Amino acid sequence: MRALLAEFIGTFLLVFAGTGSIVVNAASAGAIGHLGIALMFGLVVAIGIVAFAEVSGAHFNPAVTIGLALAGRFAWDRVPSYIAAECLGAISASLILRVCFPVDLTLGITLPQMGVLLAFWFEVVMTFILVATILGTLARGRCDAALAPLSVGGAVALDALFGGPVSGASMNPARSLGPALVTQIWTAHWLYWLAPMMGAALAAFVFQYLQHPTRETHEKG
């Protein structure tokens, strides 16, 4: 129960601060800017890891939860409850943002900006980068895990910097679900579930292959 509460709070903070920065940027005539929004997402993820990693692992993202399970780093029987907690946290954050900013029409929703197909593949690649960073950090043990806030938060900020103008840089089905549900804007919403899950699965597959190389791989290396 403590882990689920941590996932709820962490995802709430991610969506409230992250999408909130988009809303505030629009309300303040661009005072935060694209760079500021990208940094906000990275910083809030880093803070969430510091606060909650010891309690829940600090997933805050259904795609991360699935990726860790596929890589054998998380128990499958805990996946449904984690995803539910993450989605509820995101929805709660968007509901509060709606109360705070009743005139904002989109609440930081993720939408394809340069076509659905391009947005789809960007989301696959960005989620691959994120989940691969998480798995790589975990694989290096406790010493490198201390760098997780910087490495994972940095991956989120990096993705947001180059992918934000293309797809909104979701990488996170819960992050997209919250504002979509509250605003009832479902444009291409499916891709913000399918693409991150594909990217996470690809990262898990690559991680497993690299962690368990074949004899032929050793000989060629």
Side-chain angles (χ1 to χ4, degrees):
M1 191 63 187
R2 291 170 62 248
L4 296 181
L5 180 59
E7 285 298 300
F8 174 90
I9 296 172
T11 313
F12 175 92
L13 294 175
L14 167 62
V15 175
F16 185 80
T19 64
S21 68
I22 298 173
V23 174
V24 171
N25 188 61
S28 61
I32 298 177
H34 175 56
L35 176 60
I37 293 169
L39 289 176
M40 180 62 72
F41 274 101
L43 287 170
V44 73
V45 167
I47 290 169
I49 292 171
V50 171
F52 301 114
E54 292 293 326
V55 180
S56 70
H59 299 187
F60 314 144
N61 182 341
V64 170
T65 298
I66 291 293
L68 292 177
L70 287 171
R73 307 294 301 218
F74 190 68
W76 277 105
D77 61 354
R78 303 179 69 189
V79 168
S81 59
Y82 259 57
I83 292 178
E86 291 153 2
C87 288
L88 287 173
I91 293 167
S92 300
S94 292
L95 285 170
I96 291 180
L97 285 172
R98 166 55 74 221
V99 173
C100 295
F101 298 93
V103 299
D104 190 282
L105 298 178
T106 61
L107 296 180
I109 194 172
T110 48
L111 295 169
Q113 302 297 318
M114 302 180 186
V116 171
L117 185 60
L118 185 60
F120 181 89
W121 288 114
F122 261 64
E123 287 293 324
V124 171
V125 172
M126 289 186 294
T127 310
F128 174 87
I129 293 171
L130 172 60
V131 176
T133 301
I134 294 169
L135 290 172
T137 301
L138 290 173
R140 288 172 175 81
R142 193 170 185 84
C143 180
D144 276 10
L147 297 176
L150 178 61
S151 59
V152 179
V156 171
L158 170 70
D159 284 346
L161 278 171
F162 79 82
V166 177
S167 67
S170 174
M171 305 160 277
N172 185 336
R175 175 260 181 269
S176 291
L177 176 64
L181 183 64
V182 174
T183 62
Q184 287 296 295
I185 300 174
W186 299 100
T187 304
H189 183 72
W190 60 271
L191 82 81
Y192 295 104
W193 283 84
L194 181 58
M197 294 301 183
M198 285 180 57
L202 181 60
F205 173 79
V206 171
F207 172 81
Q208 290 286 73
Y209 177 77
L210 294 177
Q211 288 296 305
H212 303 286
T214 63
R215 180 179 178 182
E216 180 183 359
T217 303
H218 277 300
E219 292 173 350
K220 289 183 178 178

